[in-house]
Amino acid sequence: MGPSPRAIAEHASFQAFLHCYLREVDGGCWADNIDRVPSGGEDELRLETREASLAIEVRYRSLAGRHCVGRIWSWSSIHRHWQRLEPFRAIDLLVHELYARAVAMMPELRKSRELELRYRIIDSHRVMARYVETRRHDPRLMSDRFIDSEQSLLFGHVAHPTPKSRQGLADWQHPRYAPELAGGFPLHLFSVHQELVEQDSVAQGEATALEEALLKGALPELPAGHLPVPAHPLQAQWLLAQPAVNDAISRGEIRSLGELGPRFTATSSVRTLYNEDAAWMLKFSIPIRVTNSLRVNKAHELRAGLAMARLIERTGFTRTEPHFRFIQDPAYLTVRLPGLRESGFEAILRENPFPRGRDAGVISLAALTQEPLDGRSSRLQILIEGLAINEGRSLAAVSRDWFRHYLNCAIAPALRLYDTHGIALEAHQQNGLLDVAAGYPACFYYRDNQGYYLSQERRNALETLCPELTSSPELFYRDAMIRERFCYYLVINQLFSVIARFGQDGLLAESELLGMLRESLVRWQQHLRGLARPLLSQLLHDDCLPYKGNLLTRVHDVDELEAELEMAVYTFIANPIKVRQDVAIPESRHALA
């Protein structure tokens, strides 16, 4: 019969939390055997504020840091013996330890943040269990259709303490709006006087005209001088409760038309909507806090999407890199209301390269490397085993070739883009899609107009190439900061997840994959002479690499999308690419002040 959905979610929640804790707070003490603990290999964590310890069974120890864990035991000075512990009790003890160490935080603030984190952990676990229970036997979980793979992420971010936290989404709303439950709904339409509508586009046609085409004749006749403005139904509920919107309604400037038109469904981001017969996806603001942040479109992001579409085209990069593609956001529309920078109507039109008939075989790295349900194989393992059978070759030989294809279409071009043009990408697992329709990676797709970092050093050249960038100064960053973020998103978050998945599935040893990566970095270093060269040197020679601390970001209750420079809390981890593995991580970067 197998474990219950609750038990599956509890284990996945603990593994995600522990992944964060080991990387960001305390790596523990590794031992082949801890006295009186009946297991072969463990990591022991000291709970200093309780005079206690946790021992965690490690079923697979990953060089890339993505371990697979099993049973848990606790020891205390009171009981003076090891006893089995449930995963959620272990999380509870670690959360207490986190905040007990945060001595520089005011007591009331510390307690408030601790309660908030505990709530989000519980909410994430409860939501995850619901998704597992509903979808665990659904064959679409392993479908290679774009939208099916987008909606298959039952466990979420593998290195986040609250991977499925959905604050603001009521229980009854999940079946309709959560991508994991594959629901569908029409858009909510507003009729807005044209003087209030702001729109721009670098696509063929104005944003409102493109949006009208999505409605497929469902749009009723509008009052003279009015234009249609779509909204996510959840956002429409929020909008209709806002005083500024109600004032405009009372003046006849805005009318709510209700839900109209064809069925849309959520992609993995929750707020980007897809219809297989539409030329565009739609990215909305929603009043939901997903993992860390309230998901809203900012006014500057609307302009940045257009500027980046123009910039990428003018660099000629996609013409020289046929295996690397951008899913652009080339049009937007919103409503201007008095005294508001963002009204809540901000909507982005995103290209849809995966309509009906062209939607097979394109899968996000997050879906490709996701931990499988008990007794099943990961998507990557199924892919490699199928290729090995078809080609009559060993799993190891196919794995080596697959990994080389992946490096050449996903990693090398991203480094060349930064090296040549000073454009770095927030290319984490969810933002990166691979075309594996033929088995081997053939093309990489990057999405997210919020995930561009432009080099301050190249600012004059980039603004000369694309003068529209002068209205988006927030896109430019110092190169030291770019290297920090690029290293985390491209290498640690994305690339290391692929390496760990190969190792966990027994396809190819992580040590060999890291060796292949090291050889590629050395080879690329011979040709990359610009901005990427210091990053390659860092990856090859530095003892530690920068790491985004999702747990510490939560401990300090930072909303990245609202923070200055969208800064999360960063720390350091030992660099597994460098041959030497036994590097101590600086204690100062783990402080919980």
Side-chain angles (χ1 to χ4, degrees):
M1 184 174 178
S4 69
R6 178 206 56 77
I8 292 171
E10 188 170 356
H11 176 77
S13 297
F14 175 70
Q15 182 139 312
F17 187 94
L18 184 68
H19 186 121
C20 299
Y21 196 92
L22 295 179
R23 286 293 184 95
E24 303 172 40
V25 182
D26 183 354
C29 178
W30 293 84
D32 291 332
N33 188 271
I34 297 174
D35 188 32
R36 295 187 298 278
V37 176
S39 179
E42 298 85 22
D43 189 14
E44 183 177 7
L45 292 171
R46 288 287 301 160
L47 304 178
E48 297 170 0
T49 60
R50 287 177 175 260
E51 296 184 3
S53 294
L54 293 181
I56 297 116
E57 177 187 21
V58 181
R59 294 173 176 169
Y60 174 84
R61 186 173 179 182
S62 169
L63 294 176
R66 196 166 150 178
H67 315 299
C68 296
V69 301
R71 296 168 294 177
I72 311 159
W73 295 268
S74 68
W75 180 94
S76 71
S77 57
I78 298 174
H79 298 105
R80 306 195 69 79
H81 66 87
W82 292 101
Q83 55 186 0
R84 282 289 302 275
L85 198 66
E86 292 297 316
F88 233 86
R89 177 58 180 152
I91 294 176
D92 188 65
L93 290 172
L94 292 173
V95 169
H96 179 274
E97 183 71 14
L98 275 169
Y99 284 96
R101 293 185 186 185
V103 293
M105 202 180 292
M106 294 294 291
E108 280 302 311
L109 179 62
R110 183 169 67 228
K111 195 61 182 177
S112 174
R113 288 180 175 174
E114 181 177 352
L115 290 171
E116 175 69 12
L117 178 56
R118 288 179 186 276
Y119 168 78
R120 291 193 191 188
I121 290 170
I122 293 168
D123 177 57
S124 176
H125 168 260
R126 187 177 61 86
V127 168
M128 189 188 298
R130 180 180 184 181
Y131 293 166
V132 171
E133 182 175 24
T134 305
R135 296 291 308 282
R136 67 191 301 191
H137 301 300
D138 189 338
R140 291 177 297 174
L141 284 179
M142 301 308 291
S143 164
D144 70 346
R145 291 181 66 240
F146 165 73
I147 192 59
D148 289 337
S149 67
E150 285 290 291
Q151 298 179 336
S152 69
L153 296 174
L154 303 186
F155 301 128
H157 197 322
V158 296
H160 199 286
T162 61
K164 285 299 172 184
S165 177
R166 299 280 169 83
Q167 283 181 296
L169 192 63
D171 284 348
W172 63 269
Q173 293 173 323
H174 283 257
R176 197 173 197 233
Y177 301 118
E180 297 83 356
L181 298 185
F185 48 89
L187 304 177
H188 189 111
L189 266 291
F190 290 89
S191 171
V192 182
H193 195 279
Q194 59 190 9
E195 290 187 358
L196 298 183
V197 176
E198 177 185 328
Q199 59 178 316
D200 201 355
S201 170
V202 295
Q204 294 182 344
E206 291 188 329
T208 48
L210 299 174
E211 173 251 320
E212 283 184 46
L214 298 179
L215 299 176
K216 303 190 182 305
L219 187 66
E221 186 176 350
L222 302 182
H226 277 231
L227 295 171
V229 174
H232 192 294
L234 288 171
Q235 186 69 357
Q237 295 172 25
W238 182 89
L239 287 165
L240 290 170
Q242 302 311 303
V245 175
N246 284 316
D247 288 345
I249 289 174
S250 67
R251 294 191 298 267
E253 296 170 339
I254 295 178
R255 294 186 182 184
S256 173
L257 304 179
E259 296 185 4
L260 296 169
R263 177 187 185 274
F264 282 79
T265 190
T267 62
S268 59
S269 72
V270 185
R271 63 188 178 123
T272 301
L273 307 183
Y274 169 86
N275 177 293
E276 61 188 5
D277 296 315
W280 303 94
M281 300 185 217
L282 289 159
K283 182 178 179 180
F284 294 108
S285 296
I286 53 173
I288 308 297
R289 193 176 294 274
V290 180
T291 58
N292 283 352
S293 304
L294 193 64
R295 303 296 165 162
V296 296
N297 293 325
K298 300 291 189 179
H300 66 81
E301 293 165 358
L302 307 183
R303 298 188 299 270
L306 273 63
M308 288 308 305
R310 291 184 174 106
L311 177 62
I312 295 298
E313 173 62 27
R314 291 170 189 174
T315 62
F317 181 78
T318 55
R319 292 187 289 277
T320 61
E321 299 283 353
H323 304 295
F324 198 97
R325 290 286 178 264
F326 294 85
I327 302 177
Q328 301 283 19
D329 295 343
Y332 73 82
L333 71 160
T334 187
V335 175
R336 295 188 305 272
L337 294 175
L340 298 176
R341 177 176 297 179
E342 288 95 17
S343 64
F345 283 95
E346 289 74 25
I348 294 170
L349 278 78
R350 170 171 290 176
E351 294 173 337
N352 179 14
F354 317 118
R356 187 192 302 269
R358 288 189 286 146
D359 59 343
V362 179
I363 302 171
S364 72
L365 270 300
L368 197 66
T369 61
Q370 180 176 228
E371 189 74 13
L373 290 165
D374 279 28
R376 304 184 196 180
S377 300
S378 74
R379 284 180 181 270
L380 181 61
Q381 183 174 355
I382 291 170
L383 204 60
I384 299 298
E385 288 177 347
L387 287 167
I389 291 171
N390 290 338
E391 298 173 7
R393 296 200 295 155
S394 69
L395 292 174
V398 169
S399 296
R400 293 186 193 100
D401 285 349
W402 196 99
F403 188 65
R404 290 190 188 98
H405 277 80
Y406 162 68
L407 290 178
N408 289 334
C409 77
I411 306 301
L415 291 171
R416 286 194 287 268
L417 177 66
Y418 178 51
D419 191 72
T420 305
H421 301 290
I423 304 170
L425 308 174
E426 199 169 284
H428 57 64
Q429 296 173 53
Q430 188 177 322
N431 279 349
L433 306 169
L434 275 186
D435 180 351
V436 289
Y440 293 98
C443 186
F444 180 88
Y445 291 86
Y446 177 74
R447 61 181 172 190
D448 191 8
N449 74 329
Q450 294 173 291
Y452 288 103
Y453 302 98
L454 305 186
S455 168
Q456 187 69 41
E457 183 178 314
R458 299 287 179 85
R459 184 165 186 167
N460 289 339
L462 291 171
E463 288 183 344
T464 299
L465 184 63
C466 182
E468 293 85 352
L469 289 173
T470 57
S471 64
S472 296
E474 73 283 345
L475 291 173
F476 290 92
Y477 294 79
R478 292 179 295 104
D479 282 283
M481 182 180 290
I482 290 176
R483 288 194 296 272
E484 178 181 80
R485 296 187 180 195
F486 203 23
C487 178
Y488 169 73
Y489 286 113
L490 182 71
V491 179
I492 297 173
N493 185 298
Q494 185 198 137
L495 176 53
F496 283 5
S497 73
V498 174
I499 290 174
R501 185 76 268 155
F502 270 104
Q504 289 167 354
D505 291 341
L507 300 169
L508 196 62
E510 290 187 37
S511 57
E512 183 171 350
L513 291 161
L514 287 166
M516 292 174 64
L517 172 60
R518 197 177 301 116
E519 291 172 2
S520 295
L521 291 170
V522 171
R523 186 172 65 254
W524 296 337
Q525 198 173 36
Q526 297 172 1
H527 303 286
L528 300 179
R529 301 287 181 174
L531 294 173
R533 194 170 180 82
L535 174 59
L536 294 177
S537 179
Q538 179 182 11
L539 290 168
L540 286 167
H541 305 299
D542 282 12
D543 289 336
C544 298
L545 298 177
Y547 185 81
K548 180 186 172 190
N550 287 309
L551 176 56
L552 293 182
T553 299
R554 272 278 44 78
V555 167
H556 293 285
D557 198 26
V558 175
D559 185 329
E560 299 162 63
L561 300 185
E562 295 293 337
E564 184 178 359
L565 295 178
E566 297 186 0
M567 280 296 291
V569 177
Y570 272 75
T571 181
F572 281 97
I573 61 168
N575 180 4
I577 302 173
K578 189 176 179 181
V579 175
R580 181 169 163 240
Q581 304 286 341
D582 57 343
V583 177
I585 302 171
E587 287 293 329
S588 62
R589 298 306 300 268
H590 289 161
L592 294 174

